[in-house]
Structure formats: C-alpha cells, structure tokens
Amino acid sequence: MHELALARAILATALDHAEGRRVVSVEVSVGALRQVVPSSLAFNFEVLARGSGCEHASLEQRLEPARARCECGAEWDLGELSFLCPRCGGGRTEVICGQELRVESIEIEEEPCTAPR
C-alpha cells in the first residue's frame, strides 16, 4: 500500500507550492515500473486532501512506459519486461525510464483559500 505514502508526498508538494491558495488539479507522471495502482493513488489523495487546500482537487495521472537501453545502443519499450536486447540478444542492459514519479503541474486559484494546510 505504498500509494498512501506517494499520495502524502504529492499532497505535501502541491500544498507547499500553492502557498495558501486552493489547488484545482495536480498532474503526475508515473513510471510503469513504480507498480502504482492508479485508483488506489487517487483514493488516497482524495482522503488525505480532505480539509486542506487540495480538497476537491483532481489528481490526473499519466502512465510513462518503461524503456531500456543495451550496450549496443538499442533502446526499446519494456512492454513484456524482457531485459534481453531485441537487436543483439544481449543481456547487458539498463532501465533508462519507467521508475519515475513526478509532479508535472499544479493548477491553483489566484486567491488564498481559508482551508488549513
């Protein structure tokens, strides 16, 4: 249930950047390898946001595909989680994306809100 900790971090980031103004929406990108259940993350964000400047804010999630690179220079999407290079068949590969969790944007109202942080 790491979605609770992730939701808490997203909420804290949004509230810090909002500086007392009401948050309308938060957009995050989530790497496919983070193993986040989108509905669980949204639920936890909604529950934690109650009574704060993020109450009623939407949490928009964008799934980022996992990608790998081989020492031969080939890059590919890890759709089936095979770490063997599709070009040379080698196994000396590295994951280059798919593990991230980033707050991409925070939409806020201009006027300060009265809800506690």
Side-chain angles (χ1 to χ4, degrees):
M1 183 83 167
H2 70 286
E3 286 86 353
L4 177 62
L6 296 175
R8 186 173 285 122
I10 293 166
L11 179 65
T13 300
L15 291 172
D16 285 346
H17 285 32
E19 298 177 338
R21 294 169 288 180
R22 183 163 307 283
V23 176
V24 176
S25 68
V26 180
E27 180 182 341
V28 296
S29 59
V30 181
L33 298 176
R34 292 293 297 208
Q35 299 181 350
V36 171
V37 177
S39 60
S40 181
L41 182 60
F43 173 78
N44 282 285
F45 180 82
E46 180 182 341
V47 169
L48 292 171
R50 290 180 187 155
S52 78
C54 282
E55 187 168 15
H56 304 298
S58 65
L59 178 65
E60 300 176 26
Q61 303 173 57
R62 183 178 63 235
L63 182 65
E64 296 291 334
R67 292 189 53 80
R69 178 185 304 130
C70 179
E71 66 179 2
C72 77
E75 291 185 13
W76 68 95
D77 284 343
L78 288 173
E80 297 180 18
L81 291 183
S82 171
F83 292 93
L84 295 178
C85 177
R87 181 191 297 166
C88 71
R92 297 183 62 115
T93 61
E94 65 177 327
V95 173
I96 57 174
C97 64
Q99 299 177 37
E100 61 277 341
L101 175 71
R102 286 187 307 268
V103 175
E104 297 287 348
S105 68
I106 303 166
E107 182 181 349
I108 57 175
E109 292 180 352
E110 289 300 316
E111 297 297 318
C113 69
T114 57
R117 295 184 92 203

